[in-house]
Amino acid sequence: MADNPTVEFALRMGDNCLVLGQNVSAWCGHAPVLEEDIALANVALDLIGQTRMWLGLAGELEGKGRSADDLAFLRDVREFRNCLLVEQPNSDFGQTLMRQFLFDAWHHPMLKMLSGAADARVAEIAEKSVKEAAYHLDRSTDLIIRLGDGSDESHHRMQGALDRLWRYSGELMAADAIDEAVVGPGLGDIEAQYKDYTSKVFGEATLTIPEAAFMQKGGKVGLHTEALGHMLADMQFLQRSYPGAQW
Amino acid sequence: MSNEWPLWEVFIRGQHGMSHRHVGSLHAPDSEMAINNARDVYTRRNEGVSIWVVKAGDITASAPGEKGPLFEPANSKVYRHPTFFDIPDDVGRM
Amino acid sequence: MYAQEVKSTGKGVLSLEEMDPVERAFQEKVNAGVKIEPKDWMPEGYRKTLIRQISQHAHSEIVGQLPEGNWITRAPTLERKAILIAKVQDEAGHGLYLYCAAETLGVSRDQMTEQLLSGKAKYSSIFNYPTLTWADIGAIGWLVDGAAIMNQVPLQRCSFGPYSRAMIRVCKEESFHQRQGYDIMMKLCAGTLDQKAMAQDALDRWWWPSLMMFGPSDAQSVHSAQSLAWKIKQDTNDELRQKFVDQTVPQAKYLGLSVPDPDLKWNEEKGGHDFGEVDWEEFFQVVSGNGPCNADRMAARRKAWSDGEWFRDALMAHAEKHSADKVAAE
Ligand SMILES: [Fe+2]
Ligand SMILES: [Fe+2]
């Protein structure tokens, strides 16, 4: 780990965006309806754009001459710092939307708080991203409510998605010394906001948060689920097969 | 097949001081989602626009307006602009 | 082109004198460059031909997402990934605009989707070829979007208002597609030997299918004449194909790639290139379902549609429930 906590923190933020963006982008051309294809592509584009900023910052502060692309395409699984939630496979559209909502409900307040971070570069990236995250959260909130309180089948699917994915939500809030060093003392507020917001939305969506779920974690320190390795094999294929080539 | 989302006509105010203009249509289950979809489809999230949606079936005089305004793609997506790509002059028109 | 196999229903073009007064007024309007709008009177053949042409065009945009979408998750840099997502997203938008234009003629998007998925409706043959390497993404942007743009620019002047307006929006968005493809090719051709070989291989595989995009020779097409008279088509297939070859050959030369046609040579007299005969047997096989990827493309679209059914239905159910709430509250 680098001495500068901002490097590690920027990797976490960047890897979250990259892995989620990569997953979301795989829906291009396969979504349930054209309007949704277009909307999802916007989300993926925002996330990839944010990835470039965070990983760019991480590479620069690290000082080893690694670009955002080097970090995205030439690190192995154990070096990835994203939370486990975002690497969960797309599965059905309900799981994709639930994953997005559980992430957005954390991402937006986090970026809002980071807009006031002591490190000006961090604050600047957060500032640029926060509007996009607000829109993502609006959209995913709306869809969670509609699908939870839609048909019997959609209710059932969304409850199943929540049951499966809720266990990965705790890691988002589990702050360590690195988060504290960069974000500052407000981290507890994010957790409180997250609890309030998600329970309000799930209430409206007529969905039940699984009680006493065991919260999984490990992504922040590079202990991932098996899904990430497969994603990287796909994503990094060209860079790995043609070392040093320019694209 | 009988359960198709209704068709909505989309009107956008491109700049302050301009009136809303018809830009196209889309499908959505209700007006709120039509607004969201219009934002994604017809503005690619440009800030500061105002959107109206009207159920196509509710329009009486249905002659669509003259050609709608063409929104620039979002500024951050510079690669959507042809000038982003440096194509040498020798290549000819592209 | 994106609508390669549009059969217009006219029985040959009538002269103004042969037409009844209503039809003559219509044709005179078209001749004068006045746009026809959905509620205006139009010959039944005009309406049917347009529905076929616009829906085929829309289907092509939709199926066209798949070969390029195949490389989104493997794009080699973050910037290339973003560009490709934006590009494929644009194609989805084009499909959407075009379906909406066709809907003004009294056919629903669901009906058109049903025709595509049942195999009744056609889409461009080009999208039934596989994208095997990253260079294919370059070749598609350069050649396929290049050919598409060549066809779509004149369609902005189409006599049918909604189609013309959709094409204006489409052309505006298309402008970066070809350039991003050529940009990929330039990078590959300036790269390692492997990369250059990848680029040449892509050109070898995409060249002839790109020429097929313009459709069979007009000499074989009985439908072109009527479409030209109705101004739902502006140039003949052969004219556009010639234009495409003349534009593209120097671009290949600039890249240092060779066009895979031994008969290709400059003809000073006609001021254009002579080129070899397209394998129309292959074209008709691909159009009739026997291309390398027809089955996969259709399977992917059917899966997206049927997997998405619960989602579409649930949102409709929610909207109906809540509009009922609103009424009850009044
Ligand atoms: Fe297109
Ligand atoms: Fe295109």
Side-chain angles (χ1 to χ4, degrees):
Chain A
M1 192 199 297
D3 305 330
N4 183 348
T6 310
V7 174
E8 188 73 6
F9 184 81
L11 285 177
R12 291 177 182 180
M13 296 300 287
D15 288 347
N16 279 337
C17 293
L18 172 58
V19 171
L20 186 58
Q22 171 80 359
N23 263 331
V24 172
S25 73
W27 277 102
C28 263
H30 305 276
V33 69
L34 264 178
E35 283 79 358
E36 202 59 35
D37 256 316
I38 294 168
L40 276 183
N42 276 339
V43 173
L45 280 173
D46 289 343
L47 290 171
I48 299 300
Q50 293 177 24
T51 303
R52 291 170 70 186
M53 294 192 280
W54 287 117
L55 294 188
L57 178 64
E60 212 181 305
L61 295 178
E62 182 195 46
K64 292 185 194 159
R66 292 201 283 183
S67 66
D69 282 333
D70 292 338
L71 289 170
F73 295 97
L74 298 173
R75 278 179 303 155
D76 205 344
V77 178
R78 296 282 280 111
E79 297 160 276
F80 268 74
R81 293 292 180 259
N82 59 282
C83 60
L84 300 178
L85 174 70
V86 294
E87 71 196 37
Q88 296 311 304
N90 284 345
S91 184
D92 79 344
F93 206 64
Q95 305 237 10
T96 289
L97 292 174
M98 185 59 75
R99 181 185 65 201
Q100 188 72 41
F101 172 70
L102 292 174
F103 178 76
D104 294 341
W106 166 81
H107 197 212
H108 179 245
M110 183 61 154
L111 288 172
K112 234 162 89 182
M113 183 156 293
L114 286 174
S115 306
D119 187 320
R121 316 254 326 247
V122 169
E124 189 192 335
I125 296 176
E127 183 95 26
K128 280 187 186 155
S129 312
V130 72
K131 271 191 203 159
E132 294 173 343
Y135 180 61
H136 300 172
L137 180 58
D138 273 1
R139 243 194 117 256
S140 60
T141 299
D142 185 54
L143 285 172
I144 292 298
I145 293 171
R146 286 167 184 271
L147 293 170
D149 180 25
S151 65
D152 286 349
E153 182 178 1
S154 71
H155 176 82
H156 186 74
R157 281 177 185 262
M158 297 318 286
Q159 185 63 55
L162 179 55
D163 291 345
R164 202 184 103 55
L165 294 172
W166 181 250
R167 74 192 65 166
Y168 299 110
S169 66
E171 188 186 16
L172 293 164
M173 259 73 60
D176 60 12
I178 287 165
D179 298 309
E180 273 153 25
V182 180
V183 189
L187 275 165
D189 297 352
I190 294 180
E191 184 163 10
Q193 279 181 48
Y194 191 81
K195 290 228 158 85
D196 274 3
Y197 188 80
T198 52
S199 48
K200 194 185 103 222
V201 171
F202 289 136
E204 236 185 290
T206 71
L207 298 173
T208 315
I209 295 175
E211 264 175 61
F214 180 82
M215 288 295 177
Q216 299 289 334
K217 60 180 203 288
K220 278 184 178 181
V221 293
L223 291 168
H224 293 277
T225 57
E226 290 175 349
L228 187 62
H230 293 283
M231 171 186 287
L232 296 187
D234 188 47
M235 183 173 86
Q236 299 181 336
F237 152 71
L238 276 172
Q239 293 271 3
R240 298 285 192 185
S241 303
Y242 299 88
Q246 298 297 305
W247 303 94
Chain B
M1 286 284 161
S2 58
N3 218 7
E4 185 166 8
W5 293 357
L7 187 68
W8 301 80
E9 297 300 335
V10 181
F11 299 81
I12 290 179
R13 187 202 300 282
Q15 295 163 23
H16 291 292
M18 303 290 282
S19 49
H20 285 76
R21 294 188 71 172
H22 183 245
V23 293
S25 348
L26 48 74
H27 288 268
D30 64 19
S31 57
E32 287 151 52
M33 272 198 76
I35 293 267
N36 279 349
N37 289 346
R39 186 172 174 182
D40 279 314
V41 173
Y42 286 106
T43 76
R44 302 284 203 273
R45 295 172 294 96
N46 262 353
E47 304 303 320
V49 299
S50 155
I51 302 173
W52 289 349
V53 292
V54 184
K55 222 180 207 170
D58 290 344
I59 294 179
T60 310
S62 62
E66 279 303 289
K67 64 173 181 164
L70 300 163
F71 283 88
E72 294 298 332
N75 293 335
S76 63
K77 314 292 190 297
V78 285
Y79 42 76
R80 283 193 195 276
H81 296 278
T83 47
F84 180 73
F85 302 96
D86 226 330
I87 307 291
D89 292 343
D90 317 30
V91 173
R93 217 172 66 90
M94 182 175 282
Chain C
M1 181 37 60
Y2 276 17
Q4 289 158 323
E5 274 245 309
V6 176
K7 298 181 171 46
S8 70
T9 46
K11 305 151 201 75
V13 186
L14 297 180
S15 67
L16 282 175
E17 291 70 38
E18 293 169 302
M19 292 175 185
D20 66 44
V22 197
E23 187 166 356
R24 187 187 309 169
F26 168 86
Q27 187 65 53
E28 277 165 350
K29 230 166 117 181
V30 169
N31 292 349
V34 178
K35 294 284 181 240
I36 306 300
E37 295 298 340
K39 299 283 166 186
D40 297 343
W41 184 89
M42 60 186 77
E44 199 45 28
Y46 177 83
R47 200 181 70 86
K48 284 199 172 136
T49 305
L50 270 174
I51 289 178
R52 282 198 207 115
Q53 178 166 338
I54 301 172
S55 63
Q56 274 187 37
H57 192 159
H59 297 328
S60 299
E61 302 280 358
I62 297 309
V63 178
Q65 294 179 88
L66 299 172
E68 287 176 290
N70 183 38
W71 278 88
I72 286 177
T73 61
R74 290 178 288 172
T77 67
L78 294 170
E79 182 170 80
R80 291 286 182 208
K81 191 186 292 293
I83 292 169
L84 188 56
I85 295 170
K87 199 242 177 210
V88 175
Q89 180 196 41
D90 277 351
E91 307 302 2
H94 300 169
L96 187 149
Y97 310 151
L98 287 160
Y99 281 133
C100 290
E103 281 179 274
T104 65
L105 291 162
V107 55
S108 74
R109 193 199 291 177
D110 274 7
Q111 283 170 331
M112 290 183 271
T113 302
E114 153 50 39
Q115 284 165 358
L116 173 67
L117 300 185
S118 70
K120 241 196 285 168
K122 303 284 183 221
Y123 57 89
S124 179
S125 56
I126 193 78
F127 301 119
N128 291 312
Y129 292 87
T131 48
L132 301 178
T133 71
W134 174 249
D136 291 14
I137 301 308
I140 289 183
W142 171 34
L143 302 173
V144 175
D145 287 85
I149 291 164
M150 198 155 272
N151 179 259
Q152 288 169 343
V153 165
L155 283 174
Q156 294 176 100
R157 289 179 283 113
C158 163
S159 62
F160 185 57
Y163 194 23
S164 148
R165 289 190 286 276
M167 291 323 298
I168 289 169
R169 182 173 272 277
V170 166
C171 286
K172 170 113 180 170
E173 295 184 1
E174 280 289 347
S175 55
F176 90 87
H177 292 185
Q178 188 188 16
R179 295 175 73 105
Q180 65 86 32
Y182 197 74
D183 192 61
I184 290 174
M185 297 303 275
M186 286 201 307
K187 205 74 184 207
L188 292 173
C189 291
T192 64
L193 288 176
D194 279 345
Q195 284 177 302
K196 184 144 192 198
M198 198 189 272
Q200 180 63 56
D201 172 60
L203 174 57
D204 290 347
R205 283 181 292 112
W206 290 93
W207 174 256
W208 290 107
S210 298
L211 294 194
M212 291 175 199
M213 285 177 71
F214 297 94
S217 170
D218 301 282
Q220 291 167 276
S221 170
V222 287
H223 309 290
S224 280
Q226 181 63 76
S227 286
L228 288 166
W230 279 336
K231 295 201 182 161
I232 53 187
K233 187 173 175 172
Q234 308 275 350
D235 307 87
T236 68
N237 296 348
D238 289 329
E239 283 163 1
L240 288 171
R241 189 170 12 250
Q242 180 70 50
K243 214 172 143 193
F244 177 77
V245 170
D246 291 338
Q247 176 183 292
T248 311
V249 168
Q251 294 169 349
K253 198 169 162 205
Y254 184 87
L255 292 171
L257 298 178
S258 53
V259 173
D261 178 358
D263 298 324
L264 183 78
K265 61 171 185 297
W266 178 253
N267 179 332
E268 191 61 52
E269 207 172 309
K270 82 171 180 188
H273 291 84
D274 290 331
F275 52 96
E277 189 56 38
V278 172
D279 180 353
W280 292 112
E281 174 54 26
E282 175 180 322
F283 170 78
F284 286 114
Q285 284 298 338
V286 174
V287 166
S288 62
N290 297 323
C293 296
N294 295 60
D296 292 345
R297 301 292 183 238
M298 276 303 96
R301 288 311 305 163
R302 281 193 200 111
K303 184 173 183 325
W305 187 248
S306 62
D307 285 358
E309 190 176 4
W310 71 270
F311 173 87
R312 297 188 303 272
D313 288 353
L315 293 183
M316 207 57 228
H318 177 92
E320 275 160 9
K321 225 189 297 191
H322 287 265
S323 75
D325 287 355
K326 275 181 205 152
V327 174
E330 274 165 13

